[in-house]
Amino acid sequence: MPDRGGGPTGPRIRVGRPSRRARTLLMTLGVLAVLAMAFVMFAGFWTDWLWYRSVDYSSVFTTTLWTKIGLFFVFGLLMAAAVGVNIWLAHRLRPPLSAMSMEQQSLDRYRMGIAPYKKWILIGITALVGLIAGASASGQWRTWLMWINGVPFNQKDPEFGLDVSFYAFDLPWYRFLLGFGFAAAVLSLIAAAVTHYLYGGLRVTSPGARATGAATGHLSVLLGVFVTLKAVAYWLDRYGLAVKSSDFKATGNWTGLRYVDANAYLPAKTILFCIAAICAVLFFATLWRRTWQLPVIGFGLMVLSAILIGGLYPAIVQKFQVEPNEQAKEAPYIKENIQATRDAYGIDSADVKDYSGRGKTAPEGSAKEAQRKQADAQASYRMIDPNVVGPTFDQLQRERKYYQFPSTLDVDRYKDAKGKEQDTVIGLRELDLDGIPKRNWINDHFTYTHGFGAITAKGTGTDPKADPAGAPEFTESGLPTKGQFDKQKYEQRIYYGEKTSQYSIVGGPQKELDYESDGEQNTSYKGDSGVNLSNPINRAAYAVSFSEPQIMYSGAIGEGSRILYNRTPKERVEAVAPWLTIDGDAYPAVVDGRIQWIVDAYTTSNGYPYASRTTLGDTTADSLTAANNQRAVVAQENQVNYIRNSVKATVDAYDGKVKLYQWDEKDPVLKTWMKAFPDTVEKKSEISAELREHMRYPQDLFKVQRELMTRYHVQNPAQFYSGSDVWQVPDDPTNKDKNSVPPYYLSLKMPGQDQQKFSLTTTFTPNGRPNLGAFMSVDADATSDDYGTIRVLNVKSDVPGPQQVQSELNGDPEVAEFVRNLRGTDSDIVYGNLLTVPFNDGFLYVEPVYVKGGSANYPLLKKVGVSYNREVVFKNSLAEGFDAVFGQQAEDGTDPPPTDPGDTPPSADPTVKEALKDAQDAMEAGEKALQKQDWKAYGDAQKDLQEALQRAADAEAASGDEKGGADKEGGAKGDGEDGGKADEEGGGGSA
């Protein structure tokens, strides 16, 4: 049927054409531009394929790629077909020629304008919507793979009796299909309506019927499809209630059904489903009735029902049934939430025990001596804090300017010369490009290519005989390194590390800088890692991908040259397993003669019914991640309510080889991904015994679990509802910023254990209070039968918490004197990790104290603070601290000096008396401010405390100067500002 208004388009106007040479030039430039863009796209694809093939995970690349391509074409074609067919159908159903109204006359010019290009317009519109829909669908490749490969959890939700896999794997895919269906229906409806209007099927201002019968039937069917999809949405919403997040004023964030959901929203959704289904039938019925009267009435009824039944009725139930007796109404649902949350986060088997917290003090004599020995055996007290001594490693073991150590080191376990396992601090000497003497492309990418050696130190303290300055006692050191790994003769070259972010080209004509026992030498990489650059196509592709044209023509690249990139351990594991969430802390271990990076990885889900959600980025943040962004978790989805440490991965520091090991053999999410990516994860039995010895419980999982334990240690619904026993993770007392205290690895004995276990520990305080609320530890030794066992000590006494202990330590007179003496040396005090150890029904606090500055501008261990039963001492070593706090005599036979301001022998100087009284008052004011969380008052109290202690120290120093001035020259220099300097110059006494 011809279009209305067809006719001649007017006289033709001849326009001058460009010359043949110009046309040829323009065509050539166009072809070259297209080829250039095509090669850029090809280069990205080709280099990705080469990299995955080089690490033997090409199946991951191909599976992901084909899944994305399949989803792109299937859903792109479906969307294009839906929109295109409806445009074509609306055009075909256009009415015949009729009397021209003013409205139709105004549309004539548009019809005439598009008449010659109708086919191309149709193709263009359908192609555009198809591309957009296909690109959106390809991003759902994880959802598709989980749905098609999902395995059952063998656990059912309490409301609908469906397996958890339905919510974790099926429901997300059904929701995507529903969203795609809505988009297709709406776009088709808009496209059909516009086409009908353009060709006269719909009229807005013309007299008579507003729509032809054909247009009415067509649009009614599309509206019927839309309403049908809405009915399906109402039905799926019923199941969505089990994983719905909402605010619950009694408990905060909530996931799952509550009373109002089960008794109001659930029946409302069922009723709305029925109404929507009836309404859809009415729309379809217009194919025969040719009127919109009944469908419009039905649609209005559906909207009204959604407002009244879906909105007003639940609000009435909540207001008049739930709120008057909320605790009793919500109790069954709180119970389900508690159980599901504990299961989903792996804290269901946590052993929570009441604990006194008030330590027993032994009487004098042999009992006191036995208690002192017991304290020594209670834990392997780690005086070398890996979060502090990174700069010390860097200064003492860097050896060359172009090497570096990370600011935060790691804790592992190695056997000493006697075969006894000990906590060890380890760090790798990695490459630092900023320290290269002369920066250029050859040096950056060919000569300086790798780090060298693993440096280790005893975690328990320093060796005063070897280094009285307080440096770590290194057990593996030097360049090349020598020490405890001599028997293994391990491969010391580090081509893959946390600090190695640049690409390197190795193995070709250009030699690399290296070291042997006789000093600096040249070497050439002998590993099979990286991508071969002998092929000119490969070189061209990498030149384009890295925007480095020299790769294409440099003579430093030749036969055997290989390019290494994606060199950080977390980056490599994330690339080969894009379905895993990566722990923020990859740590090195020397295993079977190689340096292996060990990376913990998690499977997560956001669809575990009734389990409360947590935000990984926030939950895993602490004072370490705030200072070191490299420690942040690499999350595939930030909001989760199910997590398992299902995979442990290794990355070889020399050849970059990645291995994934199945750690949790029961995890259904991991089984699903192993079906999707077969032969990528090795069995747990493939882990060697030596490698297992260095595996440990991951920090980020522990952080998530401790955050959930603040509330979910309570299993009684009534108590949970009241929030009377909520804990909080305290702020790091050694850090000025208000960030959570990090968990600490430590070998210790928990109550009931007869030997030390390598553990990961943390503390809790009651919500809004500074005192200790609980202590939590998990067996972190992967070789232990109790690995992963969580033990919680619920403190029942008023025991000082970490912030209070730190405050008491800061207020100790010996600390004040120590700080005063540092002033003259331009040094700063640095507090190490405040370790908490259960001991004798109480808690023993131990904190290493470092000095940074002066002649050595890096932290050195100088003092140790110890606290037990509210007695705080500040000594030169842990042994002296234990001697003092447990009442034993020091090595010189004298009793330990008093450390509490209240126990200090009275001074004859009234200024000292007054200052000490003011200090005591300031300490009490500070504790009261902490209890009230009045941080301004706390800060003021700390200032008053420091001022009072300074006045006391100045007065004592002045008194000492008067007495000591007759003995040595220069005593007059011992004033308050330069007291420490005066001591060095022989000037006088100390407070």
Side-chain angles (χ1 to χ4, degrees), residues 816-826 949-962 969-991:
E817 180 186 357
F818 183 68
V819 173
R820 178 177 62 83
N821 291 337
L822 288 178
R823 290 187 176 182
T825 62
D826 192 26
L949 292 174
Q950 186 63 50
R951 281 192 281 117
D954 290 347
E956 282 288 351
S959 175
D961 289 342
E962 292 175 4
E969 243 180 290
K973 295 181 182 179
D975 59 19
E977 290 296 320
D978 300 317
K981 192 173 181 181
D983 291 342
E984 291 180 4
E985 295 174 359
S990 58

Side-chain angles (χ1 to χ4, degrees), residues 432-503:
D432 181 10
L433 288 181
D434 293 333
I436 295 176
K438 185 177 181 181
R439 297 293 302 273
N440 54 55
W441 189 64
I442 293 295
N443 278 346
D444 287 359
H445 300 289
F446 291 82
T447 305
Y448 297 90
T449 59
H450 58 278
F452 210 97
I455 305 300
T456 61
K458 288 184 178 179
T460 50
T462 63
D463 184 0
K465 296 179 181 178
D467 189 344
E473 183 179 351
F474 293 104
T475 54
E476 181 78 16
S477 59
L479 180 66
T481 66
K482 294 181 180 179
Q484 68 181 52
F485 301 137
D486 287 349
K487 293 182 180 179
Q488 296 190 42
K489 295 182 179 179
Y490 74 104
E491 175 56 69
Q492 298 192 22
R493 296 166 185 85
I494 302 164
Y495 284 88
Y496 295 87
E498 287 183 306
K499 294 286 192 178
T500 313
S501 56
Q502 79 286 354
Y503 73 88

Side-chain angles (χ1 to χ4, degrees), residues 266-302:
L266 188 57
K269 296 292 183 182
T270 305
I271 294 171
L272 289 172
F273 162 76
C274 297
I275 293 173
I278 294 171
C279 186
V281 172
L282 294 176
F283 273 107
F284 290 131
T286 57
L287 285 173
W288 295 275
R289 293 181 56 85
R290 300 293 181 178
T291 176
W292 279 350
Q293 185 176 6
L294 286 179
V296 168
I297 294 173
F299 188 79
L301 177 62
M302 186 180 75

Side-chain angles (χ1 to χ4, degrees), residues 153 155-158 164 167-168 239-246 251-258 333-347 604-615 639-644 704 708 712 720:
F153 277 67
Q155 292 175 276
K156 298 185 182 298
D157 80 282
V164 173
Y167 302 94
Y239 303 111
L241 293 172
V243 290
K244 182 193 72 171
S245 288
S246 60
T251 60
N253 179 272
W254 178 272
T255 301
L257 282 84
R258 289 156 48 194
Y333 305 98
I334 292 176
K335 182 178 180 181
E336 298 295 347
N337 176 266
I338 293 173
Q339 185 59 50
T341 303
R342 289 172 62 88
D343 289 341
Y345 290 95
I347 58 176
T604 60
S605 176
N606 194 28
Y608 197 100
Y610 278 93
S612 290
R613 289 180 171 86
T614 188
T615 304
Q639 277 275 338
V640 303
N641 66 352
Y642 172 91
I643 186 169
R644 290 290 185 272
V704 171
L708 271 297
Y712 286 92
F720 186 90

Side-chain angles (χ1 to χ4, degrees), residues 131-428:
L131 287 172
I132 295 173
S136 176
S138 66
Q140 297 293 323
W141 64 271
R142 290 185 178 89
T143 308
W144 161 259
L145 288 176
M146 293 183 77
W147 178 68
I148 201 68
N149 296 288
V151 301
F153 277 67
N154 295 320
Q155 292 175 276
K156 298 185 182 298
D157 80 282
E159 182 65 35
F160 302 102
L162 297 174
D163 192 87
V164 173
S165 61
F166 171 79
Y167 302 94
F169 305 141
D170 300 344
L171 190 58
W173 178 249
Y174 297 153
R175 282 176 165 167
F176 164 72
L177 292 179
L178 186 63
F180 178 84
F182 273 124
V186 170
L187 290 175
S188 298
L189 184 62
I190 293 173
V194 170
T195 305
H196 279 299
Y197 176 70
L198 187 62
Y199 287 98
L202 290 178
R203 301 179 182 89
V204 177
T205 62
S206 301
R210 299 294 184 185
T212 64
T216 300
H218 184 196
L219 296 180
S220 296
V221 169
L222 291 176
L223 287 170
V225 170
F226 179 86
V227 177
T228 300
L229 292 173
K230 188 61 181 174
V232 175
Y234 281 132
W235 189 257
L236 287 182
D237 284 346
R238 299 169 68 255
Y239 303 111
L241 293 172
V243 290
K244 182 193 72 171
S245 288
S246 60
D247 290 328
F248 189 15
K249 64 182 180 181
T251 60
N253 179 272
W254 178 272
T255 301
L257 282 84
R258 289 156 48 194
Y259 181 90
V260 69
D261 296 313
N263 295 277
Y265 279 111
L266 188 57
K269 296 292 183 182
T270 305
I271 294 171
L272 289 172
F273 162 76
C274 297
I275 293 173
I278 294 171
C279 186
V281 172
L282 294 176
F283 273 107
F284 290 131
T286 57
L287 285 173
W288 295 275
R289 293 181 56 85
R290 300 293 181 178
T291 176
W292 279 350
Q293 185 176 6
L294 286 179
V296 168
I297 294 173
F299 188 79
L301 177 62
M302 186 180 75
V303 172
L304 183 63
S305 300
I307 295 172
L308 297 178
I309 301 175
L312 185 60
Y313 173 63
I316 293 173
V317 171
Q318 177 68 26
K319 183 69 177 178
F320 296 102
Q321 289 191 31
V322 178
E323 289 186 6
N325 192 19
E326 190 171 48
Q327 179 177 316
K329 295 289 187 182
E330 301 289 9
Y333 305 98
I334 292 176
K335 182 178 180 181
E336 298 295 347
N337 176 266
I338 293 173
Q339 185 59 50
T341 303
R342 289 172 62 88
D343 289 341
Y345 290 95
I347 58 176
D348 52 312
S349 58
D351 183 14
V352 181
K353 293 182 178 179
D354 290 342
Y355 189 71
S356 167
R358 290 191 177 274
K360 299 175 182 176
T361 302
E364 299 295 332
S366 59
K368 197 81 171 179
E369 186 175 343
Q371 189 180 46
R372 168 68 178 81
K373 292 180 179 179
Q374 183 186 358
D376 275 335
Q378 188 68 19
S380 177
Y381 303 95
R382 186 168 35 71
M383 296 293 97
I384 302 301
D385 184 355
N387 311 319
V388 172
V389 299
T392 308
F393 272 52
D394 197 68
Q395 288 288 332
L396 300 180
Q397 292 296 325
R398 174 185 277 217
E399 300 288 351
R400 299 292 187 273
K401 190 178 179 181
Y402 41 81
Y403 290 133
Q404 63 177 327
F405 286 88
S407 58
T408 302
L409 305 178
D410 289 290
V411 178
D412 203 346
R413 296 142 291 152
Y414 290 93
K415 293 179 180 177
D416 59 17
K418 298 180 181 179
K420 182 181 178 182
E421 194 173 79
Q422 64 179 9
D423 292 357
T424 302
V425 176
I426 183 171
L428 299 190

